[in-house]
Amino acid sequence: MVETKILLAEKELPTSWYNIQADMPNLPKPPLHPGTKQPVGPEDLAPIFPLELIKQEVTRERWVPIPEEVLEIYRLWRPSPLFRALRFEKALQTPARIYYKYEGVSPAGSHKLNTAVAQAYYNKQAGVKRLATETGAGQWGSALAMACNFFGLECTVYMVKVSYHQKPYRRILMQIFGAEVLPSPSDRTQSGRAITAADPDSPGSLGIAISEAVEDAATHGDTNYSLGSVLNHVLLHQTVVGLETKAQMEKAGDAPDVVIGCVGGGSNYAGFCFPFIQDRLTKGAKTRFIAVEPTACPTLTRGLQAYDFGDVAGLTPLIYMYTLGKDFIPPAIHAGGLRYHGDAPLLCQLVADGIIEARAYGQRQVFEAAVQFAKAEGIVPAPESAHAIKCAVDEALAAREAGEARVIVFNLSGHGHFDLGAYDAYLAGQLEDHALSEEELRQALARLPKVG
Ligand SMILES: *Cc1c(COP(=O)(O)O)cnc(C)c1O
């Protein structure tokens, strides 16, 4: 148990993804067609997704085999390490044992490559030539650009305009791997042109960029759309993270009391915690699960579970999830990422059913925890991942209060090497905490689409 780095052999890489839909007590309501408000069928999704991924959205099979071609790319960095945070435990003077799974070792710097590789593979198999997608600060865009490069696909990335101009490094990374990167709103699409006509200075948003990428895919026969979070098949691919972690915890001879992760759209946390939730649902394990989000974008803690669009223009199916309303944009001062207005339906349902608890933190305490962690463990975390660290700190301090050797496991979803601007702002004392007011929340939710 003193081992600080727990590795799996290459041959221990999982060969199937885990599908929690096989074990959930309640499945979320199905996505609805935006026009007819009827459940969407495969034929509605076929213009933008390959059949294999559409099947993975709805399958109830518990295990989905990982194709050999995908495993071959996974082996570039997988299995990723699980660390025992001995120095961090000491810094916190806690009797708790803290472990973290480190997804920052992927060539894209985060967990996002796990699904990007799988999606590029299935699209290539289906004869698609090009993938269109959106990206905020560039994590998803750079993962998909790499994955498209591995499988010989073209890649068009609509990048939120303010990030395109303020955060050039991930744009450059995407271009190294051959992607075309456009600042969004762009003049390439109807939805982009409409936004610019209404507001020539629009800084863009993820919702706008999604509208552009979906429209691009829907209007080009050789082009599909690819989403980096939220959808069931994305969560499925990410379970490789949790499956490895489970095997590593067994190697360490330990079992988690609490499993923690940050939530933007829900993919890294779902992929991390679903294999552990299986033990709670089917074997009566007493593990607690905590999903962490920013107070500036408090989807799970203050949003409403309702049907809403995934994008601003209302082109996507209506998705049943916790949401702050599709027009919600967190304040510019928020530097911690995790800005999406909704969350993955599967994760939301587990929150609604009381299996996962949700917690929100202000960004200053999140960056404080990030710096404390970096000083102890030598890794500068992505600001997103730092939300999980802050929660781990609170759990470790609670364990100290209680004099309890609690086992805390969290997902360190990515490194922060491209986020040093946010750290600069924190160190200069320029970050402010922003909690959404009741009035802002009411206004955001008042615009939810009417269904049924
Ligand atoms: C994109 C991203 C997230 C948030 O997305 P999820 O789908 O919630 O995982 C979290 N951490 C890192 C490092 C990211 O790049």
Side-chain angles (χ1 to χ4, degrees):
M1 217 127 59
V2 290
E3 205 177 358
T4 57
K5 187 175 181 184
I6 301 119
L7 294 170
L8 293 178
E10 246 178 51
K11 63 173 167 42
E12 294 172 285
L13 182 60
T15 52
S16 292
W17 293 298
Y18 167 61
N19 177 21
I20 199 162
Q21 295 189 66
D23 293 313
M24 278 171 75
N26 302 299
L27 289 170
K29 295 186 198 174
L32 304 181
H33 188 283
T36 64
K37 311 257 164 90
Q38 294 302 309
V40 292
E43 64 286 356
D44 298 314
L45 300 174
I48 61 169
F49 293 117
L51 190 59
E52 278 308 309
L53 292 179
I54 296 172
K55 283 190 197 154
Q56 290 181 2
E57 270 311 283
V58 295
T59 180
R60 302 280 189 273
E61 288 294 321
R62 185 169 286 109
W63 299 102
V64 176
I66 307 176
E68 182 50 40
E69 293 87 340
V70 172
L71 286 172
E72 193 182 301
I73 310 258
Y74 276 0
R75 286 191 196 101
L76 289 175
W77 76 98
R78 308 214 68 89
S80 66
L82 178 78
F83 290 95
R84 169 90 186 268
L86 285 172
R87 290 178 46 86
F88 196 41
E89 290 168 15
K90 203 177 239 176
L92 296 170
Q93 298 180 340
T94 177
R97 297 195 290 281
I98 305 176
Y99 296 85
Y100 60 96
K101 177 72 164 168
Y102 189 39
E103 287 296 302
V105 297
S106 103
S110 79
H111 67 287
K112 289 202 171 72
L113 201 54
N114 298 324
T115 186
V117 168
Q119 292 189 44
Y121 168 76
Y122 289 114
N123 276 287
K124 181 72 180 182
Q125 287 300 99
V128 168
K129 294 275 176 294
R130 182 169 68 98
L131 289 181
T133 196
E134 72 290 334
T135 198
Q139 288 106 326
W140 169 241
S142 45
L144 194 68
M146 274 184 202
C148 283
N149 160 75
F150 290 140
F151 288 104
L153 291 167
E154 291 171 45
C155 184
T156 304
V157 183
Y158 293 87
M159 184 172 189
V160 175
K161 190 180 272 176
V162 58
S163 301
Y164 181 96
H165 291 300
Q166 289 177 2
K167 298 176 182 167
Y169 295 119
R170 282 208 178 262
R171 166 177 63 72
I172 299 165
L173 192 60
M174 291 182 254
Q175 289 166 338
I176 289 174
F177 287 90
E180 181 187 23
V181 188
L182 301 164
S184 164
S186 76
D187 60 5
R188 193 64 72 83
T189 66
Q190 201 78 61
S191 9
R193 289 189 294 270
I195 297 280
T196 309
D199 174 11
D201 297 323
S202 169
S205 72
L206 261 187
I208 295 171
I210 294 177
S211 298
E212 290 209 273
V214 170
E215 183 185 324
D216 184 340
T219 52
H220 293 90
D222 63 352
T223 303
N224 266 350
Y225 171 68
S226 182
L227 189 65
S229 189
V230 178
L231 297 178
N232 300 347
H233 68 264
V234 179
L235 275 50
L236 176 77
H237 302 153
Q238 293 298 350
T239 59
V240 66
V241 179
L243 291 167
E244 283 178 14
T245 309
K246 249 174 114 169
Q248 286 163 314
M249 287 302 291
E250 274 163 32
K251 259 195 175 174
D254 226 341
D257 294 309
V258 52
V259 173
I260 300 168
C262 67
V263 175
S267 73
N268 88 85
Y269 185 53
F272 186 58
C273 74
F274 283 3
F276 289 103
I277 290 184
Q278 184 191 17
D279 287 353
R280 172 150 154 190
L281 294 176
T282 64
K283 295 183 193 158
K286 295 280 183 287
T287 322
R288 286 187 298 132
F289 298 92
I290 311 177
V292 190
E293 62 186 13
T295 52
C297 188
T299 315
L300 294 172
T301 48
R302 296 178 67 196
L304 211 61
Q305 196 185 21
Y307 272 112
D308 196 8
F309 293 104
D311 69 327
V312 168
L315 297 175
T316 69
L318 288 157
I319 304 169
Y320 191 67
M321 60 184 173
Y322 282 96
T323 178
L324 296 169
K326 71 177 171 52
D327 301 308
F328 176 78
I329 298 177
I333 184 73
H334 174 64
L338 311 174
R339 311 171 71 95
Y340 189 60
H341 68 273
D343 277 324
L346 291 174
L347 186 77
C348 290
Q349 192 59 46
L350 291 162
V351 170
D353 288 342
I355 293 163
I356 296 174
E357 43 181 301
R359 230 182 250 186
Y361 289 111
Q363 61 179 345
R364 281 192 296 203
Q365 48 183 337
V366 164
F367 276 91
E368 186 187 348
V371 169
Q372 192 179 17
F373 178 81
K375 285 178 169 169
E377 298 288 320
I379 293 173
V380 178
E384 290 87 349
S385 321
H387 288 76
I389 298 177
K390 168 60 185 160
C391 181
V393 168
D394 277 8
E395 286 293 314
L397 296 183
R400 186 172 76 187
E401 281 301 297
E404 188 188 297
R406 194 175 294 185
V407 179
I408 301 166
V409 186
F410 71 88
N411 193 27
L412 187 48
S413 50
H415 68 61
H417 298 175
F418 289 102
D419 304 290
L420 297 182
Y423 279 92
D424 196 31
Y426 167 70
L427 294 173
Q430 289 163 353
L431 290 189
E432 287 166 27
D433 287 327
H434 179 88
L436 196 64
S437 73
E438 282 303 321
E439 181 54 23
E440 286 170 297
L441 184 66
R442 203 187 53 75
Q443 285 186 11
L445 293 176
R447 290 192 292 271
L448 285 180
K450 304 276 172 290
V451 175

